[in-house]
Amino acid sequence: MSATPFVSVYVMTYNQRDKVAALAEDLTVQDYPADRFEFVVLVDGSTDGTAEVLDDLAEKVPYRLVVLRREHEADYLCSKRRNECVAASDPRTDVFVHVDDIRVQTDFVRLHARHHAAQALKIVSGAQSTGDELNWDFEKCQRRHLGGPNGEARATEHWMAMWGCSYSYPRRLSDMLDDGEFDRPFDERMTDWGGHESEFALRAHLAGAELVYDPAVGVFHQDHTETRDAARGLDYEERVRVGSDRNMAYIKRKHGLAEIPRW
């Protein structure tokens, strides 16, 4: 793999125009060569002008911006959508970075790429801060205890702590976990909310991949509000609860687990 791996950052979105546009703008000031990464956005039938705004940005940003238009599905965060983003990536892609409704700092792409330059099988997840205003406060991350001394990156066996807000893995691992049927590479039998990346991380861990929590690869998660979630056309809290319970039960059945481990 090159010292500057080609990176494909991807996200699925529905009626979150301003959030995804802000992320697209953050990616314009990365300290990583603009010709060595792309941004793939799957727009799931948004009615708020998301696709149009992204089309306009695609003519201005220094990197490759790919807009995938899809008819809206209620379960737009399903594994199938993740797999569509992976399939639509540039053939040169060495590293995938799955993201959510986030903002990133200027070193985001570079730090993820650096983890994978040695071609090890690895999944990397970073710190996540929250709040009403943009911040990079490591103390706001629920997983901060997984980091090493002085906030250093550290390997972990907590596959449930691997979250899609900042989650990278090499194409080689993606190909290894693609069974051509349901795990492609994310398990397309998972059609509800939550657990998709964690189940992928469990399979990766069982296949010998290292799971890493790196506080330095920090993101700010743009929190949901009742107004924003009304725009999504769903009851966010209820969907999260019901979908997560269903997917956790499925993961237990699939992998023969008595319980889902806590981190």
Coordinates of all heavy atoms in Angstrom, one line a residue, residues 122-165:
K122 N -7.0 -4.0 10.3 CA -7.3 -3.2 11.5 C -8.6 -2.4 11.3 O -8.9 -2.0 10.1 CB -6.1 -2.2 11.7 CG -6.2 -1.3 12.9 CD -5.1 -0.3 12.9 CE -3.7 -0.9 13.0 NZ -2.7 0.2 13.2
I123 N -9.3 -2.2 12.3 CA -10.4 -1.3 12.4 C -10.1 -0.2 13.4 O -9.6 -0.5 14.5 CB -11.8 -2.0 12.7 CG1 -12.2 -3.0 11.7 CG2 -12.9 -0.9 13.0 CD1 -13.4 -3.7 12.0
V124 N -10.3 1.0 13.0 CA -9.9 2.2 13.8 C -11.2 3.0 14.1 O -11.8 3.4 13.1 CB -8.8 3.0 13.2 CG1 -8.5 4.2 14.1 CG2 -7.6 2.2 13.0
S125 N -11.5 3.3 15.3 CA -12.6 4.1 15.7 C -12.0 5.2 16.6 O -11.1 5.0 17.4 CB -13.7 3.3 16.4 OG -14.8 4.1 16.6
G126 N -12.6 6.4 16.5 CA -12.0 7.6 17.2 C -12.9 8.2 18.2 O -14.1 7.7 18.4
A127 N -12.4 9.2 18.9 CA -13.2 9.9 19.9 C -14.4 10.6 19.3 O -14.3 11.0 18.1 CB -12.3 10.8 20.7
Q128 N -15.4 10.8 20.1 CA -16.6 11.5 19.6 C -17.0 12.5 20.7 O -17.4 12.1 21.8 CB -17.7 10.6 19.3 CG -19.0 11.2 19.0 CD -20.1 10.2 18.8 OE1 -19.9 9.2 18.0 NE2 -21.2 10.3 19.4
S129 N -17.0 13.8 20.4 CA -17.5 14.8 21.3 C -18.9 15.3 20.8 O -19.3 15.1 19.7 CB -16.6 16.0 21.4 OG -16.4 16.6 20.1
T130 N -19.7 15.8 21.8 CA -21.0 16.2 21.5 C -21.3 17.6 22.1 O -20.4 18.1 22.9 CB -22.1 15.2 22.0 OG1 -21.9 15.1 23.4 CG2 -21.9 13.9 21.4
G131 N -22.4 18.2 21.9 CA -22.8 19.4 22.6 C -23.6 20.3 21.6 O -23.8 20.0 20.5
D132 N -24.0 21.4 22.2 CA -24.8 22.4 21.4 C -23.9 23.2 20.4 O -24.4 23.7 19.4 CB -25.5 23.4 22.3 CG -26.5 22.7 23.2 OD1 -27.1 21.7 22.7 OD2 -26.8 23.1 24.3
E133 N -22.6 23.3 20.7 CA -21.7 24.0 19.8 C -20.5 23.2 19.5 O -20.1 22.3 20.2 CB -21.2 25.3 20.5 CG -22.3 26.3 20.8 CD -21.8 27.6 21.4 OE1 -20.6 27.7 21.7 OE2 -22.7 28.5 21.6
L134 N -19.9 23.4 18.3 CA -18.7 22.7 17.9 C -17.6 22.7 18.9 O -17.2 23.7 19.4 CB -18.2 23.3 16.6 CG -17.1 22.6 15.8 CD1 -17.6 21.2 15.3 CD2 -16.6 23.4 14.7
N135 N -17.1 21.5 19.3 CA -16.0 21.3 20.2 C -15.3 20.0 20.0 O -15.8 19.1 19.3 CB -16.6 21.4 21.7 CG -17.3 20.1 22.1 OD1 -16.7 19.1 22.5 ND2 -18.6 20.1 21.9
W136 N -14.1 19.9 20.5 CA -13.3 18.7 20.4 C -12.9 18.2 21.8 O -11.7 17.8 22.0 CB -12.1 19.0 19.5 CG -12.5 19.6 18.2 CD1 -12.3 20.9 17.9 CD2 -13.1 19.0 17.1 NE1 -12.8 21.2 16.6 CE2 -13.3 20.1 16.1 CE3 -13.6 17.7 16.8 CZ2 -13.9 19.8 14.9 CZ3 -14.2 17.5 15.6 CH2 -14.4 18.5 14.7
D137 N -13.8 18.3 22.7 CA -13.6 17.9 24.1 C -13.5 16.4 24.3 O -14.6 15.8 24.3 CB -14.6 18.6 25.0 CG -14.3 18.4 26.5 OD1 -13.4 17.7 26.8 OD2 -15.1 19.0 27.3
F138 N -12.3 15.9 24.5 CA -12.2 14.4 24.6 C -12.9 13.9 25.8 O -13.4 12.8 25.8 CB -10.7 14.1 24.8 CG -10.4 12.7 25.1 CD1 -10.8 11.7 24.3 CD2 -9.6 12.3 26.2 CE1 -10.6 10.3 24.6 CE2 -9.3 11.0 26.5 CZ -9.8 10.0 25.7
E139 N -13.1 14.8 26.8 CA -13.8 14.3 28.0 C -15.3 14.1 27.8 O -16.0 13.4 28.6 CB -13.7 15.4 29.1 CG -12.3 15.5 29.7 CD -11.7 14.2 30.2 OE1 -12.4 13.5 31.0 OE2 -10.6 13.9 29.8
K140 N -15.8 14.5 26.6 CA -17.2 14.3 26.3 C -17.4 12.9 25.6 O -18.6 12.5 25.3 CB -17.8 15.4 25.4 CG -17.9 16.8 26.1 CD -18.4 17.8 25.1 CE -18.5 19.2 25.8 NZ -19.5 19.2 26.9
C141 N -16.3 12.2 25.3 CA -16.4 10.9 24.7 C -16.7 9.8 25.7 O -16.0 9.7 26.6 CB -15.1 10.6 23.9 SG -15.3 9.0 23.0
Q142 N -17.8 9.1 25.4 CA -18.2 8.0 26.3 C -17.2 6.9 26.4 O -17.1 6.1 27.3 CB -19.6 7.5 25.9 CG -20.7 8.5 26.0 CD -22.0 7.9 25.5 OE1 -22.0 7.1 24.5 NE2 -23.1 8.3 26.1
R143 N -16.3 6.8 25.3 CA -15.4 5.7 25.2 C -14.0 6.1 25.6 O -13.0 5.4 25.4 CB -15.4 5.1 23.8 CG -16.7 4.6 23.4 CD -16.7 4.3 21.9 NE -16.5 5.5 21.1 CZ -16.3 5.5 19.8 NH1 -16.1 4.4 19.1 NH2 -16.1 6.7 19.1
R144 N -13.8 7.2 26.2 CA -12.4 7.8 26.5 C -11.6 6.8 27.3 O -10.4 6.8 27.2 CB -12.5 9.1 27.2 CG -13.2 9.2 28.5 CD -13.3 10.6 29.0 NE -14.0 10.7 30.3 CZ -15.3 10.7 30.4 NH1 -16.1 10.7 29.4 NH2 -15.9 10.8 31.6
H145 N -12.2 6.0 28.2 CA -11.5 5.1 29.0 C -10.8 4.0 28.2 O -9.9 3.3 28.7 CB -12.4 4.4 30.0 CG -13.5 3.6 29.4 ND1 -14.6 4.2 28.9 CD2 -13.7 2.2 29.3 CE1 -15.4 3.2 28.4 NE2 -14.9 2.0 28.6
L146 N -11.2 3.8 26.9 CA -10.5 2.8 26.1 C -9.2 3.3 25.6 O -8.4 2.4 25.1 CB -11.4 2.5 24.9 CG -12.8 1.9 25.2 CD1 -13.6 1.6 24.0 CD2 -12.7 0.6 26.0
G147 N -8.9 4.6 25.7 CA -7.6 5.1 25.2 C -6.5 4.7 26.2 O -6.7 4.3 27.3
G148 N -5.2 4.8 25.7 CA -4.1 4.5 26.5 C -3.7 5.7 27.3 O -4.4 6.7 27.4
P149 N -2.5 5.6 28.0 CA -2.1 6.8 28.8 C -1.9 8.0 28.0 O -1.5 8.0 26.8 CB -0.7 6.3 29.3 CG -0.8 4.8 29.2 CD -1.6 4.5 28.1
N150 N -2.3 9.2 28.5 CA -2.2 10.4 27.8 C -3.0 10.5 26.5 O -2.6 11.2 25.6 CB -0.7 10.8 27.6 CG 0.1 10.8 28.8 OD1 -0.3 11.4 29.8 ND2 1.2 10.2 28.8
G151 N -4.1 9.7 26.5 CA -4.9 9.7 25.3 C -4.3 9.0 24.1 O -4.7 9.4 22.9
E152 N -3.4 8.1 24.3 CA -2.8 7.4 23.1 C -3.8 6.4 22.6 O -4.7 5.9 23.2 CB -1.5 6.7 23.6 CG -0.5 7.7 24.1 CD 0.7 6.9 24.8 OE1 0.6 5.7 24.8 OE2 1.6 7.6 25.3
A153 N -3.5 6.0 21.3 CA -4.3 4.9 20.7 C -4.0 3.6 21.4 O -2.8 3.4 21.8 CB -3.9 4.8 19.2
R154 N -5.0 2.8 21.5 CA -4.8 1.5 22.1 C -5.7 0.4 21.5 O -6.9 0.7 21.2 CB -5.0 1.6 23.6 CG -4.7 0.3 24.4 CD -4.6 0.6 25.9 NE -5.9 1.0 26.5 CZ -6.0 1.3 27.8 NH1 -5.0 1.1 28.6 NH2 -7.2 1.7 28.3
A155 N -5.2 -0.8 21.4 CA -6.0 -1.9 20.9 C -7.0 -2.3 22.0 O -6.8 -2.2 23.2 CB -5.1 -3.1 20.6
T156 N -8.1 -2.8 21.5 CA -9.2 -3.2 22.4 C -9.9 -4.5 21.8 O -9.8 -4.7 20.6 CB -10.2 -2.1 22.6 OG1 -11.3 -2.6 23.4 CG2 -10.9 -1.7 21.2
E157 N -10.5 -5.2 22.7 CA -11.3 -6.4 22.2 C -12.8 -6.0 22.2 O -13.7 -6.9 22.0 CB -11.1 -7.6 23.1 CG -9.6 -8.1 22.9 CD -9.4 -9.5 23.6 OE1 -10.4 -9.9 24.3 OE2 -8.4 -10.0 23.5
H158 N -13.1 -4.8 22.5 CA -14.5 -4.3 22.7 C -15.1 -4.0 21.3 O -15.2 -2.8 20.9 CB -14.6 -3.1 23.6 CG -14.3 -3.5 25.0 ND1 -15.1 -4.3 25.8 CD2 -13.3 -3.1 25.8 CE1 -14.6 -4.4 27.0 NE2 -13.5 -3.7 27.1
W159 N -15.6 -5.0 20.6 CA -16.1 -4.8 19.2 C -17.4 -3.9 19.3 O -17.7 -3.2 18.3 CB -16.3 -6.1 18.5 CG -17.1 -7.1 19.3 CD1 -16.6 -8.1 20.2 CD2 -18.5 -7.3 19.4 NE1 -17.6 -8.8 20.7 CE2 -18.8 -8.4 20.2 CE3 -19.6 -6.7 18.7 CZ2 -20.1 -8.8 20.5 CZ3 -20.9 -7.1 19.0 CH2 -21.1 -8.2 19.9
M160 N -18.1 -3.9 20.4 CA -19.3 -3.1 20.5 C -18.9 -1.6 20.6 O -19.8 -0.7 20.4 CB -20.1 -3.5 21.7 CG -21.1 -4.6 21.4 SD -22.3 -4.3 20.2 CE -23.2 -2.9 20.9
A161 N -17.6 -1.3 20.8 CA -17.2 0.1 20.9 C -16.8 0.7 19.5 O -16.4 1.8 19.4 CB -16.1 0.2 21.9
M162 N -16.9 -0.1 18.5 CA -16.5 0.3 17.2 C -17.8 1.0 16.5 O -18.7 0.3 16.2 CB -16.0 -0.8 16.3 CG -14.8 -1.5 16.8 SD -13.3 -0.5 16.7 CE -13.0 0.0 18.5
W163 N -17.8 2.3 16.4 CA -18.9 3.1 16.0 C -18.7 3.7 14.7 O -17.6 4.2 14.4 CB -19.3 4.1 17.0 CG -19.9 3.6 18.3 CD1 -20.2 2.3 18.6 CD2 -20.2 4.4 19.4 NE1 -20.7 2.3 19.8 CE2 -20.7 3.5 20.4 CE3 -20.1 5.7 19.7 CZ2 -21.1 3.9 21.6 CZ3 -20.5 6.2 21.0 CH2 -21.0 5.3 21.9
G164 N -19.7 3.9 13.9 CA -19.6 4.5 12.5 C -19.4 5.9 12.4 O -19.1 6.4 11.3
C165 N -19.4 6.7 13.5 CA -19.1 8.1 13.4 C -17.7 8.4 13.0 O -17.4 9.4 12.4 CB -19.3 8.8 14.8 SG -21.1 9.0 15.2

